[in-house]
Amino acid sequence: MAVFNLNNAAQNRIFAQKTIDTLASNAFYGRGYVNDGDKKAAMFLVDEYVRAGLKPLKIDINKDVLSAGLFLHPFSFSVNTFPGKCDVKIDGKELVPGKDFVVNPGCPSIKESFSIKPANSNKYQKRIKKTALLYDTSYKQTKAELVKTAKFNLKITLQKKITWSVATYQDSKAGVEILKTSLPANAKKITVNIKSKLINHEASNVIGYIEGTEIKDTFILLTAHYDHLGMMGKTMFPGANDNASGVAMMLDMANYFSKHPCKYSIAFIAFAAEEPGLIGSKHYTDNPWAELPLSRIKFLVNLDLMGSGEKGMAVVNSTLFPDYFKLLQTANGNSGKKYLTGFKSRGKAANSDHYWFVERGVKGFFFYLMGDYNHYHDIEDRAQNLRLGEYYDKSFLLIRDFIEKI
Ligand SMILES: [Zn+2]
């Protein structure tokens, strides 16, 4: 078994853990759209880039000092936010937000009481506007029923597990998702008080680089998204594994490679607005900087969900780029187990920020670690629950070795 000496190691697990603890803390409001959580995270990243010795790709000819703006690649998009109340009561009893229920990401504002009726019942017909339609997890409404129920004002969907996401639009009807075990079988009345606001939000990708020793105009690109779901009223979705963990490893890599530069330049992009639908990375591929055009990207490595690893690593696009996959397997040693126990080989998938780059002809992998940590898009994806261990060190070293072999 390999022993990793933390005092003199390439990777710095303590630094990475501290980065996760910071980004998933209350001060960043879940890195979303309430209280400028994502902008605060972007400023934190600029500071970390400068500390790591990354240079901006843009040059400000008017100033000698580094200004934060040189690292920022800004854009705007619409997003539905929940800056105020998000209360749900069943027969007068408050449900716990994030645990018992979430509002639909596209939910409009609503403040009203409704009687609860199963969606497949005929009893709601007369007083449909005062009725909340209840959909069981397995129940699928037919098209005819959809037309019949078009006048309802609240939709309740029962779920076996509560997870949240972000929408870039507002639905015409309000909706909540309730944990099946949190809704009593004889529940009669639901009272909702939900404040939402569709806003035009400005965000920025954060970009820096380390100059290569030989081929300076060609880049290996390391990426990780720093946004998460933000706030549902007063309830925060911290996003420790998704994706403070990937950002932490990316910054740790930045620290390492600025002391040990490669033949190629290495660029780093922390993407905003991944959660509402890969918006930040799409924006970069639509509007790349002249200093970092897609044609000069030798290979992209995207890190998302890097907090575990006991069960190995998934490699999205391994089947598309078999030569690079071989290189990765070589980096994992002749036994195939120098660092991690194995790889899950995957094809193309639009499940993180690598996607638009690969669609436009850039070669690249998306890595995510697999293990026992199973909080995803829920309020328990907190730093307290995500403590990095030896698999952080092992996956760092594997990815570093892979990058150095490119
Ligand atoms: Zn993610």
Side-chain angles (χ1 to χ4, degrees), residues 225 242-243 274-275 304-305:
H225 77 86
D242 186 10
N243 183 31
E274 190 265 0
E275 299 291 358
D304 194 351
L305 313 173

Side-chain angles (χ1 to χ4, degrees), residues 120-168:
N120 57 353
S121 144
N122 281 319
K123 292 176 190 160
Y124 57 75
Q125 292 295 339
K126 285 174 198 148
R127 299 185 68 248
I128 186 96
K129 285 191 174 170
K130 280 285 174 194
T131 302
L133 296 189
L134 180 65
Y135 292 83
D136 208 335
T137 340
S138 53
Y139 181 72
K140 292 266 182 295
Q141 198 178 31
T142 63
K143 271 201 181 135
E145 280 171 331
L146 263 176
V147 175
K148 245 176 20 181
T149 59
K151 284 185 182 143
F152 76 94
N153 277 318
L154 181 69
K155 177 179 175 180
I156 304 169
T157 312
L158 292 180
Q159 297 292 359
K160 285 181 184 143
K161 190 176 185 295
I162 290 292
T163 57
W164 205 39
S165 59
V166 188
T168 53

Side-chain angles (χ1 to χ4, degrees), residues 147-254:
V147 175
K148 245 176 20 181
T149 59
K151 284 185 182 143
F152 76 94
N153 277 318
L154 181 69
K155 177 179 175 180
I156 304 169
T157 312
L158 292 180
Q159 297 292 359
K160 285 181 184 143
K161 190 176 185 295
I162 290 292
T163 57
W164 205 39
S165 59
V166 188
T168 53
Y169 52 83
Q170 250 184 23
D171 297 322
S172 57
K173 303 287 182 178
V176 293
E177 299 189 4
I178 299 181
L179 189 66
K180 199 168 179 178
T181 52
S182 298
L183 188 80
N186 58 355
K188 287 191 173 56
K189 195 173 112 182
I190 182 166
T191 306
V192 288
N193 186 358
I194 297 163
K195 178 92 190 93
S196 67
K197 199 176 176 198
L198 187 68
I199 60 167
N200 186 46
H201 186 76
E202 285 177 8
S204 294
N205 300 321
V206 187
I207 310 176
Y209 86 112
I210 295 161
E211 196 168 73
T213 53
E214 289 172 41
I215 309 165
K216 298 179 197 297
D217 67 348
T218 300
F219 296 85
I220 292 167
L221 177 59
L222 258 171
T223 65
H225 77 86
Y226 69 88
D227 65 299
H228 193 58
L229 310 176
M231 306 287 289
M232 188 183 83
K234 287 196 176 107
T235 306
M236 184 176 86
F237 288 75
N241 194 30
D242 186 10
N243 183 31
S245 66
V247 173
M249 189 181 282
M250 187 182 78
L251 291 176
D252 200 5
M253 292 272 173

Side-chain angles (χ1 to χ4, degrees), residues 275-307:
E275 299 291 358
L278 316 180
I279 296 173
S281 49
K282 171 85 163 53
H283 182 76
Y284 191 84
T285 58
D286 287 343
N287 306 278
W289 280 347
E291 296 83 355
L292 179 60
L294 303 187
S295 60
R296 305 304 314 175
I297 299 169
K298 173 91 179 155
F299 200 80
L300 174 152
V301 171
N302 180 44
L303 308 174
D304 194 351
L305 313 173
M306 299 305 287

